[in-house]
Amino acid sequence: MGYLNSGSDENVQQTDPAAVLRNGREILLQAFNWESHKHDWWRNLEKKVPDIAKSGFTSAWLPPPTHSFAPQGYTPQNLYSLNSAYGSEYVLKALLSKMKQYKVRAMADIVINHRVGTTQGHGGTYNRFDGIPLAWDERAVTSCTGGRGNRSTGDNFPGFPNVDHTQHFVRKDITDWLRWLRYDVGFQDFRFDFVRGYSPKYVREYIEGAKPIFSVGEYWDSCNYNGCNLDYNQDSHRQRIINWIDGTGQLPTAFDFTTKGILQGAVKGELWRLRDSQGKPPGVMGWWPSRAVTFIDNHDTGSTQAHWPFPASHIMEGYAYILTHPGIPSVFYDHFYDWGNSIHDQIVKLMEIRRFQGIHSRSSIEILTAQPNLYAAMIGEKICMKIGDGSWCPAGREWTLAASGTRYAVWQK
């Protein structure tokens, strides 16, 4: 199957953002890591666009594109400056143009929970934004982080002025900025950073205002543990992510941190964890797969930060799981481009099988076994897969082996 969308599909997407979610055939690439700002990043990515497209990715999540206090982009200051540690505005626009040519949507990383002030204001803290576009005063900063605004509608992000989204002028300015990114700069998708920091109703307002084709929120909190041991039942964890999606009017998707937490525990000889008490996948994917963006690692959990890394010797089992299962899979740059050609090609093969067999975010799944050293499932009645040390293969001569590697195998009809 070709990787270029037909023009009619594209036109539908432009006028009906929900079309992409209904279709459910997205595969995302996180196209950076924590160190990317050191490597002339926009130019590096531009060279890789043909491979990204050919591999079958529909969207590539780029790091925050605007001027930032720290080089990684997560402490923004001048939101309208596209000159960042990743490269100049000129080089960024060349990258976005190349992505558009190859029909890979560019996803902007939207950091609007906090903003670094330029001037000391009320109370002697840097809570004013004088001398740059969006020259907000202290009312734009929550009272709990040194401003004159209202209390935060979410969790504080410590150490920085947190934006008060209850202020109408703030929301209008953010919506205008998002529309600029969407319609003038050329980003088509959004990833919302640290969405625990403000009420989900504001995400709804921003999505309705700027109309990205696809969007995903980072609602990351800790899984449930008993001491150091991961609880089997993570229902309350996935429910919190689902509550956030509900609060946004169900417009975006959310990263499936529940699946990540369970999967990276499961591959260490506890594959029984991959079937919940109802016989379903145990993450957000098991309850609301069309809104679950599944992933193995990202710039926070993996890379050089390694806050919560997936066990390195098991990542192909992880990809065999998320790339064959319902949900919307996301592949991490490091695994795809930095871990060698074999890993890259194995991931591409799994993506190819997913596309060829028409597996999508809502595909049916039957979990056939979930034992300590063996997990097997049938997806969409078109694919069977297994991970773990245990031996297993599907019954029936109609199944042929389509891909295999260390501790994983996939069959197709």
Side-chain angles (χ1 to χ4, degrees), residues 237-258:
H237 188 264
R238 57 178 165 173
Q239 187 63 53
R240 288 193 293 276
I241 297 174
I242 282 169
N243 291 346
W244 177 80
I245 301 170
D246 277 335
T248 64
Q250 307 181 358
L251 297 180
T253 61
F255 286 109
D256 191 348
F257 282 93
T258 320

Side-chain angles (χ1 to χ4, degrees), residues 99-173:
M99 291 176 70
K100 193 166 189 189
Q101 181 191 336
Y102 278 86
K103 304 268 195 297
V104 178
R105 298 197 310 272
M107 177 182 285
D109 202 324
I110 305 300
V111 187
I112 49 174
N113 174 76
H114 47 276
R115 187 181 174 202
V116 176
T118 60
T119 318
Q120 286 175 294
H122 163 74
T125 57
Y126 280 84
N127 51 19
R128 295 184 62 87
F129 305 88
D130 301 331
I132 54 174
L134 309 189
W136 297 338
D137 61 22
E138 299 93 331
R139 292 172 302 150
V141 177
T142 61
S143 58
C144 26
T145 58
R148 283 191 151 141
N150 296 308
R151 287 195 65 77
S152 175
T153 54
D155 296 341
N156 282 343
F157 190 88
F160 295 98
N162 284 211
V163 173
D164 180 8
H165 294 265
T166 69
Q167 306 284 0
H168 182 267
F169 74 93
V170 166
R171 296 201 307 281
K172 181 187 181 303
D173 282 351

Side-chain angles (χ1 to χ4, degrees), residues 5-24 26 103 105 182-183 188-189 211-214:
N5 299 328
S6 71
S8 60
D9 278 0
E10 193 178 352
N11 293 339
V12 167
Q13 289 174 11
Q14 299 294 348
T15 55
D16 179 13
V20 159
L21 285 179
R22 280 200 302 273
N23 188 15
E26 304 306 293
K103 304 268 195 297
R105 298 197 310 272
R182 173 80 176 87
Y183 298 103
Q188 293 175 287
D189 297 355
K211 296 187 170 52
I213 291 175
F214 180 90

Side-chain angles (χ1 to χ4, degrees), residues 3 12 15 31 35 60 66 114 118 137 144 180 198 215 218 267 270 297-298 366-367 375 381:
Y3 58 85
V12 167
T15 55
E35 305 299 327
T66 56
H114 47 276
T118 60
D137 61 22
C144 26
W180 175 73
Y198 49 98
S215 53
E218 180 209 26
V267 293
E270 299 179 350
D297 263 328
N298 63 29
E366 183 185 353
I367 297 173
Y375 170 87
E381 301 188 2

Side-chain angles (χ1 to χ4, degrees), residues 23-243:
N23 188 15
R25 283 174 170 78
E26 304 306 293
I27 304 178
L28 315 182
L29 173 70
Q30 177 173 6
F32 67 100
N33 61 34
W34 195 244
E35 305 299 327
S36 296
H37 62 92
K38 299 173 180 171
H39 301 287
D40 196 8
W41 201 246
W42 301 143
R43 277 199 177 88
N44 169 54
L45 279 185
E46 192 186 345
K47 295 187 197 104
K48 291 188 163 63
V49 169
D51 182 66
I52 292 168
K54 185 163 126 268
S55 301
F57 292 106
T58 55
S59 181
W61 159 24
L62 306 186
T66 56
H67 165 262
S68 166
F69 204 63
Q72 293 84 3
Y74 290 96
T75 52
Q77 190 172 62
N78 183 351
L79 293 177
Y80 275 99
S81 168
L82 293 174
N83 296 309
S84 72
Y86 297 104
S88 69
E89 173 178 353
Y90 176 79
V91 184
L92 170 61
K93 287 190 167 169
L95 166 64
L96 296 179
S97 171
K98 181 99 167 252
M99 291 176 70
K100 193 166 189 189
Q101 181 191 336
Y102 278 86
K103 304 268 195 297
V104 178
R105 298 197 310 272
M107 177 182 285
D109 202 324
I110 305 300
V111 187
I112 49 174
N113 174 76
H114 47 276
R115 187 181 174 202
V116 176
T118 60
T119 318
Q120 286 175 294
H122 163 74
T125 57
Y126 280 84
N127 51 19
R128 295 184 62 87
F129 305 88
D130 301 331
I132 54 174
L134 309 189
W136 297 338
D137 61 22
E138 299 93 331
R139 292 172 302 150
V141 177
T142 61
S143 58
C144 26
T145 58
R148 283 191 151 141
N150 296 308
R151 287 195 65 77
S152 175
T153 54
D155 296 341
N156 282 343
F157 190 88
F160 295 98
N162 284 211
V163 173
D164 180 8
H165 294 265
T166 69
Q167 306 284 0
H168 182 267
F169 74 93
V170 166
R171 296 201 307 281
K172 181 187 181 303
D173 282 351
I174 288 175
T175 301
D176 288 347
W177 174 68
L178 293 172
R179 287 181 62 80
W180 175 73
L181 288 176
R182 173 80 176 87
Y183 298 103
D184 295 1
V185 179
F187 286 98
Q188 293 175 287
D189 297 355
F190 291 159
R191 177 260 185 190
F192 288 93
D193 179 66
F194 194 71
V195 296
R196 284 171 49 201
Y198 49 98
S199 170
K201 70 182 180 184
Y202 301 126
V203 174
R204 175 179 189 162
E205 188 173 326
Y206 299 141
I207 291 174
E208 287 176 340
K211 296 187 170 52
I213 291 175
F214 180 90
S215 53
V216 56
E218 180 209 26
Y219 191 96
W220 182 15
D221 63 1
S222 179
C223 286
N224 308 327
Y225 290 89
N226 182 0
C228 293
N229 297 321
L230 184 72
D231 288 349
Y232 167 65
N233 185 330
Q234 296 291 331
D235 287 358
S236 62
H237 188 264
R238 57 178 165 173
Q239 187 63 53
R240 288 193 293 276
I241 297 174
I242 282 169
N243 291 346

